[in-house]
Amino acid sequence: MEKCTVVFNPAKKSIIVKKGANLLEVARKAGIFIDAPCGGKGNCGKCRVRVVSGEHRMEFTSLLKEEELKNGIRLACLTFVEGDMVVELQHVDVVEGIFVEDIKPGDEKSERIEKACKMLMEQGFKRDSGAFSAYLELPPPTLDDNVADLERLKRELRKKYGINDPMFSLNVMKKVSAKLREGDFRVRGLILKDKSSYEVLGLDGFYTDGIYGICADIGTTTVAVNLVDLNTGEIIAFASSANLQIQYGGDVISRIIYSGEEGGLDRLRKSIVDGTINPLINKIILKNNVKKENIILCVFAGNTTMSHLFLGIDPANIRLEPYIPVFKECPELKAKDVGINVNPEAKVILLPNVASYVGGDIVSGILASGIWTQDKNILFLDLGTNGEIVLGNRDYLLTCACSAGPAFEGGEISCGMRAAPGAIESIKIDRDTFEPSINVLGGKKPKGVCGSGLIDLIAEMFLSGIIDSKGKISREVPSDRIRYDEDLDVMEYVLVRDKDSYDGRDITINEIDIDNLLRAKAAVYSGLSVLLNSAGLTLQDVDKIIIAGGVGSNLHIRNAINIGLLPDVEESKYYYMGNASLIGSYLCLLFLEARDKAKEISDSMTYIELSTFPSYMEEFIKACFIPHTDLNLFPGVVSLLEKVKRR
């Protein structure tokens, strides 16, 4: 088989591959990150590279203009190596600066976290992480007191702390003698208790006193990590980044499919553990001069697929009917079992899943929201890469997952991008001139439009008369921003002209993009409708709507209502919670009883598989219009449209 050398610049990495190899796969094997939200299917057009030189074959795509093709621009997923090549990466900073909804140092005193902690304590929960330091001064052995080192340590723990028969791993046992003598028989035991037992996870010098935990939200798109002082509950540091698995697909289905390829599961596991989580942990412990040995408890929350990939467990059956995961509740693990770079003996808790598409992140969010303590009916919507909804109160919890896909994270939308510097986050369109005004994250030239901006854009185009209720662009609107795309055979609206954009290309949205967005919003609203119908409730019976997830951070509620993504109820009923998953994992770090409550919540949630409901497809089709085919559900939008017409 003929071999070819491919060089990637500016990374200056080269790799030898077989002739005919797919360029996206070549980049992955070379450790080069190329964004591919569609998983390499050729649908999103995001994996752009420039071929500087070399023989290659490319499949046709309408996503590249003729001028781009002349300049050597190719989609990596549709390009195949036919000889030695030099390839220039177009977006080397694609994972830098992605906005992540985290909780930062000092936020433990913020209203939303203090409120969550207070809620647990009002339920009788004691603030106790189970982790503590046992300071010991042991009498040195003598001929008269010749008890073995480990028994001497146990004796002192029993005498001073009343701890009977604590557990020690073999790894810790190997260090007992050396640690006792290093400190002249003064030592600090790092101990973690559960309901009925104690385990010594490490031994440290008598003079140090820090004891820490890690809590993290493993999102499909982003990961957020916090370092927490287990004695005080203080958030010492935070770090966040893109989940490097995004190079294998922007949604869970793409990653499940990729995990079935040769070596795919291992690459996905390494991407999240070695490529994402460990670098974030290393960053915060180095910056704060914390020894990793003093981190003895970790709580992780992620959706069902992310939980499987985190552990390197095959998720294949999650996407195959009847949609069965390998596990719902994961046994408690140690850091060394999963490769987390903290104390190897640290306990790792992965919050329990509910079903194939409702995972520990939602359980964590429900724990933090306190829905399970309320008499009123509350809706909880997580608007991230996937769409999950929970309806309930102290008596019941119903949940479902919507197949919204990554549209509101910018996936498979030509102008879409994640919330990062250069992303357009909010948009207004002048009703007379049809000229847009925009706000861009980071003060940079615009690169694309993130989730909140896409929702604004659809709403503004609808209220301006640029698109109709089907999402079709009017040819009658008098503006040169509206034009016909011959390659795609659709109309498009030019949001940012080439001279004003980051990369010199027009930023446009076309009818295919709009259709993708309408289907994504319809998936959410129809899921919500089925959930309410299943409980025998209407929107009038809902007392509060909690919005969580990354898309919600800059969401304009009114515009989300205007396009039919969210119910048309009083805006005072809406409450934005932020990263509820991370808040819940923080609570589980500090409250032993919260971990049990998370399991109880998981067990008590009734999962509704939308595909089995005959009414779901009917509800979905109705919701594919702006705002909906039943305008009685959206009186506020109807009133707004009437005001626009009267202008």
Side-chain angles (χ1 to χ4, degrees):
M1 181 69 71
E2 187 176 339
K3 302 286 186 178
C4 307
T5 300
V6 180
V7 178
F8 292 94
N9 288 326
K12 296 182 180 178
K13 282 191 176 182
S14 64
I15 185 173
I16 298 174
V17 298
K18 293 178 182 179
K19 182 178 179 180
N22 177 273
L23 190 58
L24 180 59
E25 283 300 318
V26 170
R28 288 168 172 170
K29 289 176 182 176
I32 297 292
F33 182 96
I34 295 181
D35 200 15
C38 71
K41 301 185 189 77
N43 297 334
C44 67
K46 299 292 197 302
C47 61
R48 279 175 162 83
V49 296
R50 188 171 80 86
V51 175
V52 178
S53 63
E55 294 183 32
H56 61 284
R57 174 174 60 86
M58 61 179 184
E59 294 182 3
F60 170 78
T61 175
S62 59
L63 298 174
L64 295 177
K65 306 296 185 185
E66 185 176 339
E67 190 66 27
E68 290 178 306
L69 292 170
K70 287 180 181 178
N71 290 331
I73 301 299
R74 305 286 185 266
L75 297 187
C77 68
L78 299 180
T79 303
F80 299 85
V81 179
E82 295 293 330
D84 294 345
M85 293 177 67
V86 176
V87 178
E88 183 178 87
L89 303 173
Q90 296 297 287
H91 296 290
V92 295
D93 62 343
V94 70
V95 298
E96 296 299 322
I98 289 183
F99 177 81
V100 183
E101 188 71 26
D102 15 47
I103 52 178
K104 300 177 175 63
D107 280 359
E108 67 273 6
K109 298 176 183 176
S110 68
E111 180 185 357
R112 56 181 176 160
I113 295 181
E114 280 204 337
K115 183 179 178 181
C117 290
K118 183 180 178 183
M119 174 265 298
L120 289 184
M121 289 187 281
E122 286 175 348
Q123 295 300 308
F125 290 20
K126 181 182 177 183
R127 187 159 175 164
D128 179 10
S129 69
F132 66 98
S133 298
Y135 295 93
L136 302 168
E137 294 189 36
L138 287 72
T142 65
L143 289 174
D144 294 326
D145 182 13
N146 57 0
V147 174
D149 286 340
L150 186 63
E151 304 311 314
R152 182 176 301 277
L153 190 57
K154 288 182 178 180
R155 183 178 68 184
E156 203 64 25
L157 284 169
R158 183 169 56 252
K159 182 191 300 184
K160 186 172 181 180
Y161 292 95
I163 297 174
N164 292 309
D165 200 23
M167 295 181 291
F168 291 79
S169 71
L170 179 59
N171 185 47
V172 174
M173 284 175 62
K174 289 177 179 179
K175 299 176 182 178
V176 168
S177 290
K179 288 292 184 182
L180 289 178
R181 285 159 181 80
E182 281 175 14
D184 195 22
F185 287 86
R186 296 188 305 168
V187 72
R188 182 174 72 116
L190 306 179
I191 298 177
L192 197 62
K193 67 177 179 179
D194 59 22
K195 290 178 182 177
S196 58
S197 64
Y198 294 82
E199 182 176 5
V200 179
L201 301 181
L203 298 171
D204 202 356
F206 184 80
Y207 50 87
T208 57
D209 58 4
I211 186 167
Y212 304 95
I214 291 286
C215 61
D217 169 50
I218 306 175
T220 307
T221 302
T222 58
V223 175
V225 173
N226 283 101
L227 175 68
V228 179
D229 186 319
L230 294 178
N231 289 321
T232 65
E234 180 186 358
I235 298 170
I236 303 298
F238 77 98
S240 58
S241 76
N243 180 340
L244 287 190
Q245 290 178 345
I246 60 177
Q247 63 190 302
Y248 303 106
D251 58 83
V252 295
I253 298 299
S254 297
R255 294 185 205 170
I256 292 172
I257 293 170
Y258 185 78
S259 72
E261 298 185 12
E262 184 179 354
L265 181 58
D266 189 52
R267 280 193 283 275
L268 286 163
R269 187 196 66 79
K270 287 179 178 176
S271 291
I272 186 59
V273 175
D274 299 330
T276 308
I277 294 173
N278 279 339
L280 292 175
I281 291 174
N282 293 341
K283 178 181 177 181
I284 57 182
I285 64 177
L286 286 172
K287 186 176 180 181
N288 293 276
N289 198 29
V290 169
K291 293 194 296 185
K292 70 177 186 178
E293 289 76 16
N294 288 358
I295 301 174
I296 64 170
L297 181 61
C298 301
V299 179
F300 295 97
N303 66 47
T304 309
T305 300
M306 292 303 102
S307 297
H308 281 58
L309 297 178
F310 172 69
L311 299 178
I313 293 175
D314 184 3
N317 289 308
I318 289 175
R319 65 178 283 265
L320 303 174
E321 193 174 344
Y323 317 113
I324 304 299
V326 174
F327 66 93
K328 176 183 173 184
E329 182 182 357
C330 177
E332 288 181 353
L333 302 166
K334 293 202 170 185
K336 62 186 178 184
D337 298 326
V338 287
I340 299 299
N341 190 31
V342 295
N343 186 319
E345 303 300 321
K347 180 183 285 190
V348 171
I349 298 170
L350 189 58
L351 294 182
N353 303 311
V354 176
S356 53
Y357 295 111
V358 175
D361 53 345
I362 302 305
V363 171
S364 186
I366 294 303
L367 171 72
S369 71
I371 293 175
W372 50 279
T373 70
Q374 300 296 306
D375 294 316
K376 296 180 178 179
N377 293 310
I378 299 175
L379 266 174
F380 177 96
L381 285 79
D382 188 291
L383 298 177
T385 309
N386 312 298
E388 294 98 350
I389 308 173
V390 179
L391 169 67
N393 54 36
R394 68 168 71 248
D395 296 321
Y396 74 98
L397 290 168
L398 295 179
T399 183
C400 69
C402 313
S403 55
F408 289 121
E409 293 278 356
E412 300 187 21
I413 306 297
S414 61
C415 64
M417 67 176 287
R418 302 177 186 94
I424 300 170
E425 63 167 338
S426 64
I427 299 165
K428 292 284 289 183
I429 295 177
D430 188 280
R431 303 288 188 264
D432 298 316
T433 66
F434 307 102
E435 288 294 304
S437 57
I438 61 175
N439 289 322
V440 183
L441 289 172
K444 294 187 175 183
K445 278 194 169 187
K447 298 178 181 179
V449 190
C450 65
S452 60
L454 288 168
I455 292 168
D456 279 1
L457 181 55
I458 300 300
E460 287 292 301
M461 291 175 74
F462 178 62
L463 294 173
S464 301
I466 296 173
I467 58 175
D468 61 18
S469 63
K470 296 179 182 179
K472 298 301 180 184
I473 297 176
S474 172
R475 295 171 183 255
E476 307 302 318
V477 173
S479 172
D480 63 355
R481 288 186 177 271
I482 295 171
R483 67 191 187 193
Y484 175 68
D485 185 318
E486 294 183 357
D487 293 326
L488 296 176
D489 189 28
V490 291
M491 298 297 291
E492 65 182 12
Y493 174 77
V494 181
L495 179 63
V496 178
R497 301 189 193 278
D498 53 6
K499 63 183 178 62
D500 298 317
S501 74
Y502 174 81
D503 59 7
R505 292 188 295 146
D506 289 335
I507 297 176
T508 64
I509 187 167
N510 60 52
E511 290 172 328
I512 298 172
D513 298 324
I514 295 168
D515 186 57
N516 286 337
L517 288 163
L518 293 189
R519 283 189 282 111
K521 75 93 179 176
V524 174
Y525 193 87
S526 56
L528 184 154
S529 298
V530 169
L531 212 56
L532 284 168
N533 290 337
S534 299
L537 301 176
T538 68
L539 283 170
Q540 284 66 45
D541 298 313
V542 175
D543 300 289
K544 185 178 182 181
I545 301 176
I546 298 173
I547 305 293
V551 175
S553 57
N554 293 310
L555 184 68
H556 297 137
I557 295 293
R558 185 66 249 173
N559 277 340
I561 294 171
N562 289 340
I563 70 170
L565 170 63
L566 296 179
D568 194 349
V569 298
E570 300 93 327
E571 288 186 50
S572 60
K573 285 189 175 183
Y574 284 93
Y575 170 74
Y576 179 65
M577 192 169 177
N579 193 332
S581 171
L582 189 57
I583 296 173
S585 63
Y586 170 79
L587 296 177
C588 287
L589 201 60
L590 294 186
F591 291 82
L592 260 171
E593 294 164 295
R595 300 163 208 166
D596 291 331
K597 190 63 191 182
K599 182 182 183 307
E600 185 182 318
I601 288 171
S602 170
D603 290 339
S604 67
M605 291 175 78
T606 301
Y607 176 67
I608 292 177
E609 179 54 59
L610 294 176
S611 63
T612 65
F613 273 75
S615 62
Y616 174 66
M617 188 50 65
E618 182 183 348
E619 293 290 346
F620 176 78
I621 292 170
K622 290 178 183 178
C624 282
F625 293 78
I626 307 174
H628 197 277
T629 56
D630 185 357
L631 293 180
N632 291 322
L633 295 171
F634 290 88
V637 181
V638 172
S639 176
L640 190 58
L641 286 171
E642 289 174 351
K643 288 179 183 178
V644 170
K645 287 177 183 177
R646 289 198 296 267
R647 287 185 72 252

